[in-house]
Amino acid sequence: MRSPTGPTARLRVVLDPEDLADTSRSFQELHSLEAGRVVCHPRPGIRSTVLLAEDLLFALGKTRQACESLAMSDRWSAAEAWLVGEGIRHLVVLRSDRLPLNLWRAMARLRRSCHITVWMVVHRPRIPHHPSRRAIGLRRYCVADALDAIRRDPEPEVVPDAWPTRLEPAMSAKIRRLASPREAAALAVLLATDLSPRDLLLLRCSSLTDDGRLRDVQTPWTIPQHARGLIRSHAEHAVRHGGSPTAYMFLRMGRGLTTGYSLWLMLRRAERLAGLRGVAVAPVFGGEGGGAELTQDALAATPSPSHH
């Protein structure tokens, strides 16, 4: 997991005193998940972190329907997990001068927890919330200097996949519409590999290696580079919810015990929200209702709760 603090975890303010149309357009052109840059345009009048989390999820490519399927209490942590898992280094927040002080403070916490640089674009001559400037460590930039600083940060190197994979980039792009890190990761693994539902439940948060292979299970298939952020985001989310890197990725013990049927239901919902109905679940689970028969099979040979 990424360190929560460090020299690149910064909060920066960009002053656009004349509120030029070119400013927003120039920042929006920088938006690229592959390059580690996200541009968020919060809706007017928001005051809660739940609504800001939704806007962050929209900026990360999640659909409104997928966001609404998440519990409101889970949306902020999901946004944090996606920012970290997708390797985002720069987050630009347009119209930041419209945000109340509590959301400025939330963004200050976000840059530390996600170890990213947050650029708060203020479309007026002065920074709002003067009493908080020192407390959250603001540094001012003009538009040209901010754009130059973001562009000069080198993009991540793209290394060709060295191992066989069967998940195409277009399919990853559809899965990336999902807001739930757990659903997105499960669907990505199912489509990228030949794992059975039982094997899926044996995966741990630390199973994904840097080159895309999966520990803890036997499969010749790997997770391609364009889909690894989907898996890392769920691992990050699980750890943020009190898990550990060695915890199971999809298997839940005790209350809310994961069964074959509950796994089937989760994947069916994920397929529907991603616009991939029938692509992954039916072939693995044996068609409609297959999850019901898998309830006992899927948990066979998994360790008991005492080993979790």
Side-chain angles (χ1 to χ4, degrees):
M1 301 301 134
R2 194 182 295 188
S3 170
T5 59
T8 59
R10 305 182 180 106
L11 190 72
R12 300 292 184 241
V13 172
V14 184
L15 293 177
D16 174 31
E18 298 178 11
D19 193 8
L20 299 174
D22 283 347
T23 298
S24 294
R25 183 164 53 250
S26 296
F27 278 112
Q28 287 167 345
E29 289 172 353
L30 293 176
H31 181 90
S32 170
L33 293 183
E34 294 78 13
R37 303 190 297 256
V38 167
V39 179
C40 176
H41 196 154
R43 74 197 84 175
I46 64 169
R47 305 192 66 82
S48 73
T49 54
V50 172
L51 293 179
L52 182 57
E54 287 181 6
D55 289 335
L56 289 171
L57 289 168
F58 295 153
L60 285 158
K62 315 308 174 188
T63 65
R64 181 173 297 278
Q65 188 179 17
C67 290
E68 290 174 350
S69 72
L70 276 180
M72 287 194 292
S73 60
D74 203 28
R75 291 174 193 177
W76 186 264
S77 62
E80 288 182 314
W82 281 112
L83 287 167
V84 174
E86 294 280 30
I88 303 304
R89 302 190 313 282
H90 296 277
L91 170 62
V92 177
V93 184
L94 299 174
R95 301 290 166 190
S96 294
D97 47 287
R98 295 178 178 175
L99 298 179
L101 178 57
N102 67 306
L103 296 186
W104 276 70
R105 287 174 173 160
M107 298 310 294
R109 294 192 298 271
L110 183 78
R111 56 100 180 184
R112 290 192 297 267
S113 66
C114 297
H115 197 57
I116 61 177
T117 299
V118 178
W119 301 84
M120 306 290 282
V121 184
V122 173
H123 304 270
R124 60 169 67 176
R126 297 183 185 86
I127 302 173
H129 317 306
H130 295 281
S132 68
R133 276 192 299 175
R134 185 173 298 175
I136 58 181
L138 301 181
R139 179 178 171 186
R140 287 176 287 187
Y141 281 75
C142 68
V143 171
D145 287 348
L147 290 168
D148 184 58
I150 297 171
R151 289 170 179 149
R152 282 190 289 105
D153 191 10
E155 297 183 11
E157 182 182 1
V158 178
V159 180
D161 293 311
W163 303 91
T165 183
R166 60 184 191 178
L167 182 61
E168 297 298 324
M171 200 75 77
S172 288
K174 289 189 174 184
I175 298 173
R176 201 161 260 110
R177 298 172 182 170
L178 298 174
S180 165
R182 186 169 187 254
E183 291 180 1
L187 195 54
V189 172
L190 201 64
L191 286 169
T193 69
D194 57 355
L195 295 184
S196 67
R198 184 191 68 83
D199 289 335
L200 197 66
L201 294 177
L202 288 174
L203 288 174
R204 297 178 184 270
C205 293
S206 57
S207 289
L208 181 67
T209 64
D210 289 342
D211 59 3
R213 288 178 291 178
L214 294 170
R215 305 185 187 98
D216 308 312
V217 293
Q218 295 294 322
T219 177
W221 301 99
T222 61
I223 307 299
Q225 189 171 50
H226 56 76
R228 290 172 201 163
L230 301 169
I231 317 301
R232 289 193 296 261
S233 296
H234 174 50
E236 179 73 23
H237 196 240
V239 170
R240 285 172 182 264
H241 277 261
S244 72
T246 58
Y248 290 112
M249 193 177 291
F250 305 112
L251 177 62
R252 291 174 177 168
M253 298 294 192
R255 287 188 64 185
L257 173 70
T258 304
T259 64
Y261 184 64
S262 64
L263 184 65
W264 175 72
L265 286 176
M266 180 189 75
L267 288 164
R268 279 285 305 273
R269 181 176 61 251
E271 271 191 331
R272 175 177 56 82
L273 290 171
L276 294 169
R277 189 185 295 274
V279 172
V281 178
V284 174
F285 283 80
E288 293 292 322
E293 291 118 28
L294 235 113
T295 303
Q296 298 302 320
D297 263 0
L299 292 171
T302 56
S304 65
S306 61
H307 291 100
H308 180 50

